Amino acid sequence: MKNRMVVVAFLLSLCVVLFSVRLPAQETVIDTNATASLFVFEDCNAPNCDFDHFRREITWVNWVRDRQDSDVHLLVTSQRPGGGGWDYTIDYVGRRNFEGTTKSLSYISDPNDTDTEVRNGLTQTIALGLVQFVESTSLAPRLRVVYDEADVAVAPMEEDDPWNLWVFRVSGNGSIEGEQTESGYSLRGSADADRVSEELKIQFGLSGRYNHTETDLDEGDTYVYTSEDYTANLLMVWSLGPHWSIGGRANANRSTFFNRDLAVTIGPTLEYDIFPYSESTRRSITLRYSLEATAVNYELETVEGKTEEILPRHALLIASAVQQPWGEVFGSV
């Protein structure tokens, strides 16, 4: 009993000693680099946009996944030049303390570059544009400018585009079907050639469709149905400035469905773009008005007894292609 009381007394004394000792206060550590960093939101659906690679290579900014938390909204768009490769436009949209500050850079990859080389070139260009925003933060003194001097002097050369801004597209498909009483096949194809510059826009297209169907009737006869549709389009528009353009449009069409042996349409066109051409990779809203005449040769005589006639025609096209920090809009009416 005496030993038990000694143990209890010892434990009570130990508790008193422990509670009477004042522990040193724990210091709160504030990461000044994090609070002074630039918060960047990456918005890129273009080829070779690798968010993980950007984050690994550009470590002197904070990458966020919510646009509302960012100081800079990084918007990357791309298009295919006529000579191949990729033409990237990098827009820096300032937010919060940088509201109203914008910047735009361009990066054009070589047609022979690998995906890794294109990704590295895009990363380097993105980093160059972010320096302007970091220089106004407390992290600016930590940045260093490094220049890799070329082994040999390189004389400046003009850009060589063997395709002269032309972009070509060719597509085709077909199908074949067969049943006990019906069989048929169809063929479709198209070819486009476009050239867009600040001075002149040319769009030329060819398309064709052919359908053939054979159906066995109850009387032992065979019903054959064939439809053809061929179209050629040409649009040429010359620039009158950053917004207005004028030119002409021509169209030729043969269609058994519309009873057209041949229809030719031609006339002037006036085009207005709300945004200047220099912003076309990011936003474009175009209004195009055409006043035309159509000469038609009919395959079969119409219900009005006509085999040919000339008809007036006019058309209004409204087309948009917008890619902004809030989202994307594409469409036409």
Side-chain angles (χ1 to χ4, degrees), residues 64-232:
V64 297
R65 297 188 179 274
D66 189 342
R67 182 174 68 92
Q68 301 301 326
D69 298 331
S70 66
D71 298 310
V72 178
H73 187 136
L74 187 68
L75 180 62
V76 184
T77 56
S78 67
Q79 63 180 354
R80 276 281 196 183
W86 288 100
D87 184 355
Y88 293 92
T89 300
I90 304 124
D91 290 295
Y92 304 79
V93 183
R95 304 188 69 258
R96 300 202 291 196
N97 293 336
F98 297 95
E99 191 73 35
T101 303
T102 60
K103 184 182 183 68
S104 182
L105 293 179
S106 177
Y107 168 65
I108 302 177
S109 66
D110 189 271
N112 299 318
D113 284 347
T114 63
D115 288 344
T116 300
E117 291 172 327
V118 175
R119 185 184 63 178
N120 290 338
L122 181 60
T123 303
Q124 182 181 8
T125 306
I126 290 174
L128 288 175
L130 289 174
V131 171
Q132 174 187 346
F133 296 90
V134 176
E135 68 181 8
S136 61
T137 69
S138 60
L139 296 182
R142 302 172 64 91
L143 292 180
R144 295 293 182 270
V145 178
V146 178
Y147 171 69
D148 293 331
E149 188 172 355
D151 296 333
V152 294
V154 179
M157 298 178 60
E158 294 184 359
E159 183 180 354
D160 181 23
D161 181 5
W163 296 96
N164 193 25
L165 298 180
W166 283 98
V167 178
F168 300 92
R169 305 179 189 86
V170 178
S171 65
N173 61 71
S175 64
I176 184 170
E177 299 178 357
E179 300 179 2
Q180 184 174 359
T181 59
E182 185 176 274
S183 62
Y185 63 90
S186 66
L187 301 171
R188 297 188 181 190
S190 65
D192 298 300
D194 298 338
R195 186 183 188 275
V196 180
S197 67
E198 292 191 38
E199 298 80 20
L200 174 64
K201 174 166 65 177
I202 303 175
Q203 295 178 343
F204 177 71
L206 296 172
S207 64
R209 181 177 60 197
Y210 180 85
N211 294 322
H212 180 86
T213 303
E214 296 184 5
T215 304
D216 294 335
L217 304 178
D218 295 337
E219 296 80 4
D221 297 329
T222 301
Y223 172 73
V224 179
Y225 172 74
T226 300
S227 67
E228 301 176 48
D229 194 311
Y230 308 107
T231 302

